[in-house]
Amino acid sequence: MLDVRDVVTAYGKIEALKGVTLSVAEGRITCLLGPNGAGKTTLMYSIAGILKPRRGRIALKDREITGRAPDQVVQAGVALVPENRLVFPQMSVRENLTAGAYLRRDRAGIAADMERMFQRFPRLKEREGQLAGTLSGGEQQMLSVARALMSRPRLLLMDEPSLGLAPLVVEEIFRIVTELNRDGTTIFLVEQNAHMALKVAHHFYLMEQGRVSFSGTPGEVEEAEVIQRAYLGSRRAD
Amino acid sequence: MIDLAQSIVDGVLFGTTYAVIGIGFTLIFGVMHKINMSFAAASIAGAYSGLLVFLLWKTAPPIVVFATSAALAGLIGYAIYLLCFRFIPIASPLATLMSTVGMLLLVDEIIVHLTAGMPLSYPAIYDGYPIELGQLILRVDLLLVFLVCLVAMAVLLYLLYRTRLGIATRAVAQQPVAAQLCGIRLTQVNAITFVMTGTLGGIAGAMIGASVGVLSPLLSLPLTVKGLIVTVIGGLGSIPGAIVAGLLVGAFENVFQMWRGVTERDMYVMLLLFAFLVFRPGGLFRIAGARD
Ligand SMILES: Nc1ncnc2c1ncn2[C@@H]1O[C@H](COP(=O)(O)OP(=O)(O)OP(=O)(O)O)[C@@H](O)[C@H]1O
Ligand SMILES: [Mg+2]
């Protein structure tokens, strides 16, 4: 579904991505692990069109989207749930969702999807008219996911959706990720919480210092020494 | 006492023009996070450009002049966006300050050059008798200025809070990265904001011209300062703040004009600015609702 090849993205002279190659299989959940500063967010922004890669190629189902403006990437069927949620703080929950559907013109479809979001996230329904800036962290994360879904993406990118959330809320987020995937959305997820990710993802990449240093299945992740040390703590008894 | 009441009424009515100018400053700041120093000068230039109608139509009614002022001011707003913001590095906080101060001076120079520095008469909005309300005298022209500005503000608020364009504009102002992720194009929203605020400024400029009766290059600097004062008092980025502050500044300056005369009044308005900066730097309304 998504093919990233030799992508180099730089901030001024510093290359944050030094030639990243990976691919995301259609209908699957792919997870990207990596320490702070590895370049995970930079990769997400490069795919979404917020940052322009210096070199390399990003393709969505054989259609090249490298260096396209963000609105064209959304139009191509990709949505990003950004790191730190980035809700519109002075807009109501409903207006945030309306903004998510900005490029769509089918009013009836938008209204139906809005109702669907409220069914999937009942907490948002209760807070429909409340300003997003006054929601709790978990609620803001739900809103950020729902807003991304309002564009009806085929590929959903999620950058650390569990960051700073209580364990129960993290469980809920992962339950939603699985549900979305079961309903046919391909998911590419950045996650530090490897234990949680192992329960849902089908394929893993590890990124370190701007390069992909590991690629494997959940089974291979559990075996890999590098990941064991950094993400799973000591070897578990089971 | 009746003099005081009269001054306040006149001041509040005329103050809506300051409110509109203040909204222009505030809205551009909200979307671009930059001050457009040339905004008030461009609004006066917009008012001037409405007079071009007389080249084609010698007996054009005032309303046509006002409408032309507003429309051409929107165009001027777009030109200012292109010249002062579009291709200037946004990351540098000083760059756009310099470019817009430069634009303020350029606009004034152009006006002085084209009019040889002489004031031009501007059509009045109404020249009948005032209405007497007991001891108070209600100037109908000021009342109409007030109504026109009120309608302009209402239209703007409608656009911002009830339309797709408004969602895009507020999204860009509040969280530009997320706005882009929703498919909203920054450059498009920025350009539209300049056209919208430009038009608004042109309406204010036209109403100022209509109530003073003349346009003069001397109008633009004091209007710039008052627009900035209104934004400080109202709180940078706050539209309700700009409205209330505009009326307040209008009343305040008119009261001091009555007590101290027209040559001294602006000094007291400046003192009001300092008082606010010291005692209430966030303005009358601090933006509520943000958690962090
Ligand atoms: N706007 C920026 N300007 C300059 N350097 C940046 C910028 N954003 C990120 N970087 C640098 O690029 C590198 C990769 O950052 P990035 O945010 O992509 O890491 P990350 O893997 O998402 O980390 P985290 O897990 O902390 O979110 C880091 O060294 C960071 O300092
Ligand atoms: Mg990150």
Side-chain angles (χ1 to χ4, degrees), chain A residues 61-79:
Chain A
K61 282 196 164 185
D62 298 324
R63 181 169 159 211
E64 176 138 8
I65 55 166
T66 326
R68 290 290 171 81
D71 58 300
Q72 291 177 309
V73 178
V74 175
Q75 206 96 58
V78 182

Side-chain angles (χ1 to χ4, degrees), chain A residues 9-12 14-17 32-45 51 83-84 159-160 163 190 192 207 210:
Chain A
T9 304
Y11 299 99
I14 304 156
E15 291 187 347
L17 302 184
L32 180 63
L33 299 168
N36 294 125
K40 306 179 298 292
T41 299
T42 306
L43 176 63
M44 290 293 162
Y45 278 162
L51 296 171
E83 187 174 53
N84 299 324
D159 195 347
E160 301 205 43
L163 193 72
V190 172
Q192 302 265 19
M207 191 163 170

Side-chain angles (χ1 to χ4, degrees), chain A residues 109-136:
Chain A
I110 294 174
D113 278 358
M114 185 100 67
E115 282 317 305
R116 210 163 298 144
M117 291 307 147
F118 285 143
Q119 271 163 26
R120 185 162 253 150
F121 306 97
R123 292 272 281 274
L124 295 184
K125 174 75 189 167
E126 291 162 30
R127 290 164 176 73
E128 200 183 316
Q130 193 174 324
L131 294 186
T134 65
L135 298 177
S136 77

Side-chain angles (χ1 to χ4, degrees), chain A residues 49-167:
Chain A
I50 303 285
L51 296 171
K52 305 266 171 274
R54 278 245 162 116
R55 284 202 301 280
R57 188 167 176 276
I58 300 171
L60 189 74
K61 282 196 164 185
D62 298 324
R63 181 169 159 211
E64 176 138 8
I65 55 166
T66 326
R68 290 290 171 81
D71 58 300
Q72 291 177 309
V73 178
V74 175
Q75 206 96 58
V78 182
L80 168 62
V81 182
E83 187 174 53
N84 299 324
R85 340 193 215 283
L86 308 189
V87 296
F88 302 116
Q90 308 281 320
M91 287 197 208
S92 70
V93 166
R94 180 171 274 277
E95 285 176 325
N96 267 268
L97 296 181
T98 308
Y102 184 73
L103 290 179
R104 292 172 57 186
R105 294 297 194 154
D106 53 325
R107 294 185 110 189
I110 294 174
D113 278 358
M114 185 100 67
E115 282 317 305
R116 210 163 298 144
M117 291 307 147
F118 285 143
Q119 271 163 26
R120 185 162 253 150
F121 306 97
R123 292 272 281 274
L124 295 184
K125 174 75 189 167
E126 291 162 30
R127 290 164 176 73
E128 200 183 316
Q130 193 174 324
L131 294 186
T134 65
L135 298 177
S136 77
E139 290 159 356
Q140 290 192 12
Q141 187 64 60
M142 304 291 173
L143 179 58
S144 187
V145 173
R147 182 181 65 190
L149 291 174
M150 286 302 290
S151 70
R152 291 200 156 213
R154 286 178 298 157
L155 170 63
L156 184 67
L157 311 172
M158 305 176 90
D159 195 347
E160 301 205 43
S162 68
L163 193 72
L165 302 183

